[in-house]
Structure formats: C-alpha cells, structure tokens
Amino acid sequence: MHYASFKLEELIRQQIHCLFLSGPGGAGKSTLVRQRCRTVRDAAMTWVKPNRETKEQLICQLLEDIGPGVIEGTAAELRKILEVFLRHQAGNGRYSFVIVDGLERFSAGVLREFEALSQLRLRNRPLVHIVLLTRNEELVANLLPQYDGGPLARAVHQRLTGFTLDETRAYVHNCLRGSGCDWAEELIPDEVIVDVQAFTQGVVGDVNALCYAALEAVAQRSAGSNRQPKVTRALLKEAGTQLNLRYDASAWAQISEESLSADAVHLTDPGELKVEAARLIVSSGRKLVAEISLNRPRMVLGRDDSCDISLDSVYVSRYQNLFMETTEGWVLIDLSSTNGCFVNGRRVREHRLRDGDLIAVGQHQLRFSGPHRNSGSADTRSGQTTLEATIARPKPAIGGI
C-alpha cells in the first residue's frame, strides 16, 4: 500500500501518465485513490464507473466533468470538442485526471476510448492522467505491452495486497474521528488493532466488516451503562469468528532489529558462494545508476550504514531486504520492513529470484540478473563490487532518493 501511494503521488505530480492499480476486491484500491483525490486542488477530475456502457455515455461524462460542460452533438463532434478543450487546458498548465473504477467490467468500445484518450498529447505530454482500478491482473498484462516504448511508455502497474499494521491503525482511527468519535484510541486500542490486522491482513473490506461488527456488539452490550465503551480482544475475536476470518499472526509479527542487522546475518554466513555471483542493475527513472555484484552468500539491503547495500532514503527501512544464496538459486526475503518488499509490482515476504525480476526500493528499481548471464563489469573474483562512476565507495551506498 505504501508503494502504491508513492506511485499515485507520482501520477498526481504528472511524472506517470497511466497507473494500473490491481488487487482483490476489498484490498483498498478505491479507498486509497479517494482519500488522496480529496486533497487535490486546482485540477479537473472525474470518476468513471462501469455503468458507462457506451462510448457516447463516456464522452458525455468527460465533457461534463473535465470538459466545457453538457453539449449536444454526434459522438465524433463531442470527441473533437473534448480534445480541443483538453489541449487548451494543457496549454495553460491545467491537466485533468480520470479514475476508471472496475476496468474489467467495461465494454471493448469504452476501453478503446480510454486508450485513445490516454494517447492525446501536447508537446509530447499527455492531456490527461489516468488511474485504472481492476481485479483482473490478466487484463493489465494484456494492456501493458502495448505501452512498451509507445505513447504510454510511462504506464505503471502496482498490485495492492492490503494495509500495513501502521496503515490499518491510521485508517481505523481516522474513520472513527471522521464520524465524530473523539476517543478513537480508547475505543479501539492498539492491542486490538494488532488483532484487526491479524484477522484481515490489511484488506480494507475485511477491516470495515470486522470493525463494524465489533462496534455493533459494543453498542449493544454497553447500552444503559455509564462506563465508556471499548472494543476488547475477546469481543473482536467473537466478531472475527462470526465473519469466518482466519487469525494470522504473521500479518503483524515483527522480528527484533538485532536479528535483522547485517552483523547478525553475517554471523551465520558461510563466507563462500556455492554458485557464480548474481548482479543487481540499479536504475532511477530511465537512468542507470549502479551495477552491484551479489558476491556474498547473504547480503542485507537497507538504510543503515552497516548494510552490504546501503541506500540513504526515507523510503527505505533500516534493514529492508535480505538477498540469500541457496543451492537452488537466490532468494529475496523481506526483513519485516515498514515499507515492504515489492517484486514485479507485487508485495512479497519471500521470493525466489529469477533472471529479469524487478525489485522496487524507494525511487530506485533493481533488476536482478541471474548468475548464468555474462557478469559484465561486476568483479566476482576479488569480492569487490564494481559500480558506475556515480558510486564511489566499495560498499554500495546509493543516495539521492
């Protein structure tokens, strides 16, 4: 969710043209976008629902929400009027945002209109920025290749799996405060939030259902009482059981930082690689930043200076990822980081790396290059990592994120 929020911010800052947000129902796609869009000022914005069954209906909504208003005419005339208006707006520095909710439920004709809309340009910049929400990742996979190197080359796909524990805590308490509850932290205390996360894994739909059921039970049991109502762990467990939610402590359990440090990892480091070293090709945007050799059996990536790969960034946890060599190849492990571990746009706790996998770390992308490819400039024999000129220290330290 944190990384999806970051990508949404990039789109609002007009650094991304199209953002695909995918994930199961209730993962929080619409919630994330709605919360952020409420704070956007001085921008035309429209939210398109699947009830727009024809391209004519779609164009009429766009004219009304981000265009000059309601106009009568043929579909071709209305499309031309919309394009001229958007060009005029973009020429004056005013850009529009289109949020498409339920992409998989639109007709083929409407999808083609979205595609045509996304390709409108003025001085090589898009006239509109589009967020597309969908449960169907196969649909995203079919659409994204069309953008590779084409007019939508800056399209990005991000999968949502749910809130982190901190995000769930903030979401629940903000919802309570928004409904007029001034004692949100007392009504649902932190130990109960931990159980909410364990029952729901941060899926927003389940968080809503579980908290609603628990609050209903509290209201019934506290009726006529002078005591301040409070959701207890026992009461939440009853609500979770009634909703058939499974309790999974791994959704929130944290590992102590002492066990995550680079020094602690190296205590059990056998010292020699079993197979040839792999590489990480580091880029930011479209610019190559560094080339890092994975030349130890275990290498820790994080913000702390003791890490093998040190990234000075607020978007990186102190100890974020562990690259571990096994007899079957390299494995990436999330060290219970606050910011999460993302591979190919999907949050993972553990992932067996394959050649070409893309790992997202802050504003940088790390492309994993498997051990059976040409090692290029990486020196795996001396144990020293050879980097691009932008990196000066032998131990990779990537800053400026």
Side-chain angles (χ1 to χ4, degrees):
M1 186 68 72
H2 174 84
Y3 197 65
S5 300
F6 172 70
K7 289 301 180 185
L8 184 58
E9 291 293 333
E10 282 193 328
L11 180 132
I12 291 173
R13 295 198 307 269
Q14 301 167 16
Q15 296 176 345
I16 293 176
H17 300 169
C18 286
L19 174 61
F20 289 88
L21 288 180
S22 68
K29 302 182 294 296
S30 299
T31 300
L32 171 67
V33 176
R34 286 187 186 280
Q35 287 181 340
R36 182 59 185 88
C37 288
R38 289 193 189 104
T39 65
V40 176
R41 298 290 182 266
D42 302 323
M45 188 170 297
T46 183
W47 194 290
V48 184
K49 294 282 191 178
N51 58 0
R52 302 303 176 186
E53 299 177 355
T54 66
K55 58 184 181 182
E56 289 79 12
Q57 291 177 340
L58 171 64
I59 294 171
C60 287
Q61 177 178 337
L62 296 177
L63 282 168
E64 185 173 355
D65 293 348
I66 63 175
V70 179
I71 300 175
E72 294 186 0
T74 65
E77 291 171 340
L78 295 178
R79 187 187 297 108
K80 186 62 176 178
I81 292 171
L82 177 64
E83 180 179 343
V84 170
F85 180 85
L86 292 175
R87 287 186 182 279
H88 177 267
Q89 293 292 90
N92 288 277
R94 295 189 292 271
Y95 293 90
S96 302
F97 296 90
V98 177
I99 296 95
V100 181
D101 197 355
L103 182 65
E104 69 280 358
R105 294 160 59 191
F106 285 93
S107 66
V110 175
L111 289 178
R112 283 193 291 270
E113 287 298 317
F114 286 134
E115 185 176 8
L117 184 68
S118 65
Q119 293 176 2
L120 296 177
R121 292 289 187 273
L122 177 65
R123 294 190 291 271
N124 205 32
R125 288 180 60 85
L127 301 186
V128 294
H129 296 264
I130 306 180
V131 182
L132 305 111
L133 312 180
T134 181
R135 302 181 184 183
N136 190 337
E137 292 193 13
E138 184 179 353
L139 177 60
V140 178
N142 290 334
L143 292 173
L144 274 175
Q146 302 176 33
Y147 307 148
D148 189 16
L152 291 181
R154 300 193 67 181
V156 173
H157 174 211
Q158 179 61 47
R159 185 179 189 274
L160 269 68
T161 55
F163 286 147
T164 64
L165 175 59
D166 289 340
E167 290 169 337
T168 297
R169 180 185 296 109
Y171 174 72
V172 171
H173 288 163
N174 286 338
C175 286
L176 291 173
R177 294 190 196 100
S179 62
C181 176
D182 296 329
W183 63 95
E185 288 78 3
E186 291 77 19
L187 179 58
I188 303 184
D190 272 355
E191 64 268 17
V192 177
I193 293 292
V194 168
D195 283 348
V196 170
Q197 184 74 3
F199 271 116
T200 65
Q201 289 74 58
V203 175
V204 178
D206 290 341
V207 172
N208 290 338
L210 181 60
C211 290
Y212 180 82
L215 291 171
E216 282 285 301
V218 166
Q220 293 175 6
R221 298 183 187 188
S222 61
S225 173
N226 294 326
R227 299 180 61 183
Q228 182 172 310
K230 175 181 176 181
V231 177
T232 64
R233 296 186 66 187
L235 191 150
L236 189 82
K237 182 178 180 181
E238 291 180 17
T241 302
Q242 292 173 359
L243 294 172
N244 297 315
L245 295 174
R246 183 175 65 87
Y247 190 95
D248 180 8
S250 66
W252 56 264
Q254 299 291 320
I255 304 173
S256 65
E257 284 210 338
E258 289 76 12
S259 65
L260 302 181
S261 69
D263 291 338
V265 169
H266 293 159
L267 285 176
T268 58
D269 193 334
E272 294 183 1
L273 292 172
K274 296 181 177 64
V275 296
E276 184 183 350
R279 292 183 299 154
L280 297 174
I281 312 301
V282 187
S283 61
S284 180
R286 297 190 178 187
K287 180 181 179 181
L288 178 66
V289 175
E291 191 172 300
I292 300 172
S293 176
L294 297 177
N295 49 25
R296 294 175 58 92
R298 297 181 179 90
M299 294 184 69
V300 178
L301 179 149
R303 190 178 66 249
D304 195 88
D305 287 340
S306 67
C307 294
D308 301 283
I309 307 171
S310 179
L311 291 88
D312 183 14
S313 169
V314 296
Y315 297 109
V316 178
S317 300
R318 186 180 178 191
Y319 306 114
Q320 177 142 336
N321 298 338
L322 170 65
F323 293 89
M324 184 173 69
E325 183 204 27
T326 70
T327 55
E328 298 178 357
W330 286 89
V331 174
L332 177 65
I333 299 173
D334 178 22
L335 297 178
S336 297
S337 60
T338 301
N339 297 296
C341 181
F342 295 87
V343 181
N344 301 326
R346 181 173 182 176
R347 185 166 187 166
V348 298
R349 289 195 179 97
E350 182 175 322
H351 177 80
R352 187 167 299 282
L353 290 165
R354 298 177 178 83
D355 186 59
D357 278 350
L358 187 63
I359 305 159
V361 180
Q363 291 180 331
H364 282 65
Q365 296 80 42
L366 285 66
R367 178 78 65 180
F368 177 79
S369 180
H372 300 298
R373 293 182 59 178
N374 181 18
S375 60
S377 61
D379 185 357
T380 62
R381 295 184 298 275
S382 65
Q384 185 82 354
T385 301
T386 303
L387 305 179
E388 297 291 326
T390 52
I391 306 300
R393 289 159 46 185
K395 182 175 71 173
I398 305 170
I401 300 182

